Amino acid sequence: MLLKGKVALITGAGRGIGRVISLALAGEGARVIVNDYIEENAKSVAEEIKAAGGEAESVQCNVANFEETTNMIKAILKNNPVDILINNAGITRDNLLVRMKESDWDDVLSVNLKSMFNCTQSVAKSMMKQRYGRIINIASIVGLIGNEGQANYAASKSGIIGFSKTVARELATRGVTVNVIAPGFIQTAMTDKLSDEAREKLFASIPMKRLGTPEDIAPLVVFLCSDKAGYITGQVINVDGGIAM
Ligand code: NAI
């Protein structure tokens, strides 16, 4: 087991990519803290892990809210050190720039980018003290190449990359690595919303001619969290079927 004895906090883990990452980390022996905005989903993933023989608990919190998030992390740190942080929570509010509402911009930037600051700042202090940590931030290839109708989402995901490289430099001498995974188009509730036309256009842009699955992402997360990846930091790794090569 690669992660025996480690404690991992995963945000937005009540479904989709975060859920599968949680199951994979628990499968490698980590004790998993499943966060989601939707309490019953977080609970059900924690139950699923326990039913499979793993260790898990759930915690409801809106990670876009600074005060709520710092309180959540304080409460977690009272009982456990956090060795692994996966900043995964994210939303879309797509529209062409000229039609985009201010609230669509603000909501996406708050959930996708401000949450990174909210979670990482509190956890990083404790990781620095213990001189060990793994932080993995989930961006998107849209943050690298852009996508029509996603100016807000692309800005948030590019922001994650600059944020992560900076924090990676700040924490590099403390045994804490910070890396970014940039998924392509992954089959989850987020992409189920796409129209048939958008889906066809999408397929044409994917060299592998298929959507990815959360199971395509989770093994890389496990590796980056393990001791084997101790000399990898500040990297952006695309898992995208070749779109952004
Ligand atoms: P999803 O919509 O299936 O799951 C996102 C989860 O985050 C949900 O359980 C939701 O309740 C939770 N969440 C949303 N706002 C939250 C908040 N403020 N506080 C706590 N939890 C919150 O999405 P999916 O596809 O699993 O995406 C996960 C991450 O991967 C996101 O950051 C997304 O941007 C990113 N991503 C997804 C891609 C895809 O094609 N599905 C592609 C590239 C990146």
Side-chain angles (χ1 to χ4, degrees):
M1 288 209 178
L2 288 171
L3 305 173
K4 192 89 200 134
K6 300 282 193 267
V7 177
L9 169 62
I10 299 116
T11 70
R15 69 177 194 198
I17 296 172
R19 170 182 160 270
V20 174
I21 291 173
S22 300
L23 294 170
L25 296 182
E28 288 294 338
R31 174 177 163 69
V32 171
I33 302 168
V34 181
N35 156 262
D36 207 278
Y37 183 57
I38 303 170
E39 187 169 18
E40 56 269 31
N41 289 358
K43 269 193 186 152
S44 103
V45 173
E47 289 309 319
E48 199 180 347
I49 290 171
K50 287 193 259 181
E55 274 189 85
E57 64 185 86
S58 62
V59 53
Q60 191 282 337
C61 170
N62 170 10
V63 291
N65 181 298
F66 181 76
E67 205 182 336
E68 249 187 68
T69 306
T70 41
N71 286 340
M72 167 184 75
I73 290 170
K74 258 189 221 153
I76 294 171
L77 288 172
K78 257 191 203 159
N79 304 321
N80 327 270
V82 173
D83 305 295
I84 295 167
L85 169 65
I86 316 293
N87 283 310
N88 165 79
I91 59 167
T92 51
R93 296 283 182 272
D94 296 353
N95 220 331
L96 294 173
L97 174 69
V98 291
R99 294 195 199 131
M100 190 173 284
K101 293 196 217 112
E102 184 188 7
S103 60
D104 295 335
W105 177 270
D106 289 343
D107 290 350
V108 168
L109 269 289
S110 298
V111 176
N112 296 9
L113 186 57
K114 190 173 178 220
S115 66
M116 298 270 157
F117 170 72
N118 295 344
C119 294
T120 309
Q121 189 185 47
S122 306
V123 170
K125 286 181 192 164
S126 129
M127 286 180 171
M128 284 165 84
K129 270 195 211 138
Q130 67 181 20
R131 297 203 155 255
Y132 182 88
R134 295 280 186 268
I135 299 171
I136 296 172
N137 297 329
I138 307 298
S140 164
I141 54 149
V142 168
L144 296 169
I145 62 175
N147 195 24
E148 282 164 43
Q150 293 198 308
N152 51 358
Y153 186 78
S156 73
K157 296 299 187 179
S158 298
I160 290 171
I161 294 171
F163 170 78
S164 304
K165 290 186 176 184
T166 301
V167 179
R169 286 182 186 278
E170 292 183 9
L171 303 184
T173 57
R174 310 296 185 103
V176 181
T177 65
V178 185
N179 290 292
V180 175
I181 296 179
F185 294 96
I186 308 298
Q187 217 153 11
T188 68
M190 193 177 264
T191 42
D192 285 348
K193 287 188 267 180
L194 291 169
S195 66
D196 287 347
E197 193 196 341
R199 201 170 282 271
E200 259 175 50
K201 251 175 90 179
L202 201 68
F203 267 61
S205 74
I206 308 173
M208 287 190 177
K209 301 291 175 222
R210 70 165 177 92
L211 292 185
T213 64
E215 287 75 12
D216 290 318
I217 309 290
L220 176 60
V221 177
V222 168
F223 172 69
L224 289 173
C225 288
S226 74
D227 287 339
K228 294 176 190 289
Y231 202 54
I232 302 174
T233 197
Q235 301 305 305
V236 181
I237 304 175
N238 303 346
V239 183
D240 66 350
I243 299 177
M245 70 175 79

